[in-house]
Amino acid sequence: MSASILELFTEPSKQWVDSAFSGRVPGTQLLHGQEGGLLWGAALLYTKHLLCGEASGACDRCANCVQAENLTHPDLRLSYPHLTAQSKKKDVGIDASTHGLFREFKKANKFPLMSAWQQHLSADKKSLLIPASEAHALTLWLSTKPMMSSRKVIILWMPERLNHHAANQLLKTFEEPSAHVTIILISHDPERVLGTILSRCQQVFIPPARQLSQWLVDSQNISHEQAALLEELSMASPGLALDYLSNREGLARPVAAFVQLMRFAYKQDPVALLAWSDSMAAWTREELAAFLRLSGGLLSQLGRLKHGLSFRPVFEWFPDISFKAKGFTKLLNTEGMLLMHQQLSDAQTDVRRNLNAKVVLYDMALGIMKAF
Ligand SMILES: [Zn+2]
């Protein structure tokens, strides 16, 4: 892979990363943006600038830079959702072997997805959290002086998964961090972060990748057409695009579910839609969120076909799923497609809020039925 992730950064993201050496560094910041996006990349570059301490940015050669790059710097602490049994000791937090697993995972996944971390932990159906014991350990860790650099940095992935006690434990630390402390929270769902935490953070939005398809062509050796499809399906999230690319079989299941939904909705068959919602409700929240996200991309592809653009839609990647996408678009109207997008996006919000999946999906399916 020769293409650098820097090519994916838009100007605002670059400016934020550079502010680590050129401007004021706030104590607590919350980066938000899409999962599988550029948030981790930005946070790690920013951290490297801070730990290196060179006035013109990280030198990439000193011990600070090398260890920050390897995620082994003693003044950098990573925190992330895990199985609560992995952080039993209150003063240590996440145990050493879990940190080892996370480093391994993070090195293989520059744009990490929660579902992939869950798989890496072999914890598919279990819920991963940041419990109070970990929050306590973070507070203790911050209370000592830096060892190697002039700063200590915490990168905490998904503050939306701090349990209530953990969030309360961290509030005071976030409010008055010592001068040598920088805390970076990485959130994909800031609406679910406790308001009292949000209000203590400077918020920074990290936009989706720019020119992702070109980057995919250069780094993955795939065709322009395939890269453009992946960019569209992933809404320019490199992590999702790479996941779709490496795991086509994983993509077949949600694509098939989308095709079923479209068919039953077109046939105006509420009974079939109810059965469909029932079977979908057995999927995990992560899978449902991914399905709904992907469905938005699939619908956009149908829209482009409808407008006469010529390309090979993703449905054709799966000969087992018989679906004549081009013909099907004749059954859709532009107004209705906008309604469908709205239904999908509302359902995403409701699934994230942990509402009853079957009810949410059936509601959405009926909405989509009415849009034909
Ligand atoms: Zn350096």
Side-chain angles (χ1 to χ4, degrees), residues 82-83 114-129 161 253 279-288 354:
H82 52 279
L83 296 165
M114 189 38 122
S115 54
W117 170 230
Q118 203 131 11
Q119 263 176 23
H120 197 77
L121 280 179
S122 317
D124 282 353
K125 301 271 171 188
K126 294 177 193 134
S127 70
L128 305 184
L129 287 173
R161 299 226 184 177
R253 187 169 168 242
S279 70
M280 294 297 289
W283 293 24
T284 65
R285 296 266 153 191
E286 306 293 334
E287 287 170 339
L288 284 178
N354 257 343

Side-chain angles (χ1 to χ4, degrees), residues 136-150:
H136 180 84
L138 290 176
T139 310
L140 265 187
W141 185 80
L142 282 177
S143 66
T144 56
K145 292 247 148 56
M147 288 167 76
M148 230 176 107
S149 173
S150 57

Side-chain angles (χ1 to χ4, degrees), residues 10 73 90 110 112 123 130 145 194 223 226 236 252 277 297 313 360 364:
T10 54
H73 197 294
K90 221 178 158 197
K110 283 201 163 47
I130 305 178
K145 292 247 148 56
L194 202 64
S223 72
Q226 199 180 13
S277 313
V360 170
M364 175 194 83

Side-chain angles (χ1 to χ4, degrees), residues 48 51-54 57-66:
K48 228 203 255 185
L51 294 176
C52 175
E54 281 283 327
C59 72
D60 271 324
R61 290 182 305 272
C62 71
N64 280 313
C65 284
V66 173

